[in-house]
Amino acid sequence: MPDQEKYLIEGNVMVSEVIYRVDLVVEKVPNENWQKINAEYRLPSIYVLNKEFKSLDDQPGVSQASGLIKNDSAFDFDSIAVSIILFDAEKQVIGVNKTEARTVLAGEERYFSALWFTLINGQVSSIDMRAETNLLSDE
């Protein structure tokens, strides 16, 4: 959506160097190439509650992020994706993950979790989790 900021997470990408950050900027396109949305349209209210990150004591080297997706909109969604970013005390990204919940009904709260099967390099001091759906999908 216009002026929206979001995380783009793609896992299992092999790289030869450590990548600390990548910024993708979408250049402004001339207005005649855009289609106007109804002026009364509002983004659906989808957010994450009860954010938690922990190491699993019974599985060395495995960590888990979890929470509740809250679909506080009037619409059912076939798919809601959750992006998870882990930060250290200096606000540097030390871990990313994503997961998806299927068929989330209007007003529903849905538990989710995502696992890391490798050690997180650093101490997690804060977490950002964002829930979103593809508003242009017919589903």
Side-chain angles (χ1 to χ4, degrees):
M1 301 306 289
D3 294 323
Q4 183 180 25
E5 291 185 14
K6 64 190 308 180
Y7 292 120
L8 300 175
I9 298 174
E10 191 60 44
N12 298 320
V13 176
M14 299 299 293
V15 295
S16 59
E17 302 177 21
V18 175
I19 297 174
Y20 293 98
R21 181 183 178 115
V22 175
D23 290 323
L24 172 69
V25 178
V26 178
E27 297 287 331
K28 294 216 180 253
V29 177
N31 289 342
E32 65 268 8
N33 295 333
W34 288 89
Q35 292 182 357
K36 194 165 189 95
I37 295 177
N38 182 321
E40 296 167 6
Y41 179 81
R42 300 287 177 260
L43 287 173
S45 182
I46 305 169
Y47 49 91
V48 178
L49 304 169
N50 302 338
K51 301 172 187 177
E52 182 180 24
F53 178 81
K54 64 183 177 183
S55 296
L56 300 181
D57 296 333
D58 60 337
Q59 298 178 37
V62 179
S63 302
Q64 178 187 44
S66 62
L68 290 174
I69 297 169
K70 174 66 173 170
N71 179 2
D72 207 14
S73 73
F75 303 99
D76 298 340
F77 295 108
D78 180 56
S79 173
I80 294 179
V82 179
S83 299
I84 305 162
I85 312 293
L86 308 176
F87 297 95
D88 65 12
E90 288 78 41
K91 299 296 182 195
Q92 297 298 310
V93 175
I94 58 173
V96 299
N97 209 334
K98 65 181 178 180
T99 189
E100 180 180 62
R102 304 292 296 193
T103 314
V104 181
L105 304 177
E108 183 177 12
E109 289 183 2
R110 173 79 60 83
Y111 174 82
F112 71 89
S113 70
L115 297 172
W116 282 260
F117 293 100
T118 57
L119 290 174
I120 301 297
N121 191 13
Q123 182 67 34
V124 176
S125 65
S126 63
I127 309 165
D128 191 5
M129 297 183 186
R130 297 185 186 179
E132 63 187 9
T133 190
N134 181 354
L135 297 173
L136 302 178
S137 173
D138 290 337
E139 300 172 343

